[in-house]
Amino acid sequence: MGVALKGVYGLSDESLTPYDQLPNMLECAIQGGITLFQLRDKTHSDTELLNLAKDLAKLCARHGVGFIVNDRLELALQCGAFGLHLGQEDTPLEEARKHFKGVIGISCYGDLTRAKQAQDLGADYIAFGACFNSPTKPKASTISKEVFTQARACLKLPLCAIGGLTPTNLATLPPLDMAAVISSLWVGDIAQNARVLKEIFNAQS
């Protein structure tokens, strides 16, 4: 059974998910109902991350969760990742697609033109954000919720919201395919956080 691009999508954070604790934390998040997980790291080398990435990929595969690597094409290939997520400064989609056969998601911020181009070039899902002020990216500019309504009208791809999502504000967004979360998942009771987010996501979508 394939992994659906739908549901609560957890992202790692170097301070909130210390790597010696991350496998156990991810187990809790999976118990609570996340369906996708992204390893996001801006400081370590691929070599330093490879064993961790392989372990996390196996853990996710065992539970039917999609394991996605942020912006590191080589690492995604080496660890057999389900997906790769690319931002504006990362490997171009066309280049990544030549090598990576899994799911590729593209950050489009609030830019519908970029989203349409990504769809034309073979992206599998689109992420828009930051939707709200985010503790993990305090300088990121926020986007209008209207972007999701407009995107739904002109795109066929699954849509993901990211940036400061909480159980309270998630319910204010238009229906989505995925909700990417960091702080609201990892701080406190992880399994319970995931359950609450999943419940609100399901009611909202």
Side-chain angles (χ1 to χ4, degrees), residues 2 42 51 71 80 86 94 100 106 136 144 146 158 173 176 186 205:
K42 298 294 183 184
N51 286 337
D71 94 18
L86 300 172
E94 312 93 294
F100 188 77
I106 300 292
T136 52
S144 163
E146 290 302 309
L173 291 174
L176 302 163
W186 303 119
S205 58

Side-chain angles (χ1 to χ4, degrees), residues 10-13 17-30 34-41 48-70 75 79-83 186:
L11 276 65
S12 72
D13 175 82
T17 58
Y19 291 156
D20 60 338
Q21 299 172 40
L22 180 51
N24 289 336
M25 295 175 82
L26 179 53
E27 282 268 17
C28 293
I30 291 170
I34 70 165
T35 52
L36 299 148
F37 171 75
Q38 181 186 123
L39 177 63
R40 184 177 180 281
D41 181 296
E48 290 171 310
L49 291 172
L50 182 56
N51 286 337
L52 173 68
K54 284 180 175 176
D55 289 346
L56 297 174
K58 285 177 192 163
L59 172 59
C60 286
R62 203 160 61 236
H63 292 283
V65 167
F67 176 66
I68 295 169
V69 172
N70 183 277
L75 182 62
C79 73
F82 164 80
W186 303 119

Side-chain angles (χ1 to χ4, degrees), residues 37-134:
F37 171 75
Q38 181 186 123
L39 177 63
R40 184 177 180 281
D41 181 296
K42 298 294 183 184
T43 56
H44 295 81
S45 69
D46 285 3
T47 305
E48 290 171 310
L49 291 172
L50 182 56
N51 286 337
L52 173 68
K54 284 180 175 176
D55 289 346
L56 297 174
K58 285 177 192 163
L59 172 59
C60 286
R62 203 160 61 236
H63 292 283
V65 167
F67 176 66
I68 295 169
V69 172
N70 183 277
D71 94 18
R72 295 169 181 260
L73 173 61
E74 288 304 319
L75 182 62
L77 290 166
Q78 289 175 326
C79 73
F82 164 80
L84 175 67
H85 189 89
L86 300 172
Q88 206 154 11
E89 310 299 320
D90 303 329
T91 309
L93 174 55
E94 312 93 294
E95 181 62 27
R97 185 49 88 195
K98 288 177 192 170
H99 308 280
F100 188 77
K101 303 307 176 196
V103 162
I104 298 182
I106 300 292
S107 289
C108 292
Y109 316 99
D111 188 342
L112 278 174
T113 303
R114 178 175 164 81
K116 288 174 189 169
Q117 287 170 344
Q119 176 171 269
D120 292 344
L121 290 169
D124 295 289
Y125 74 86
I126 300 293
F128 290 113
C131 295
F132 304 97
N133 290 322
S134 165

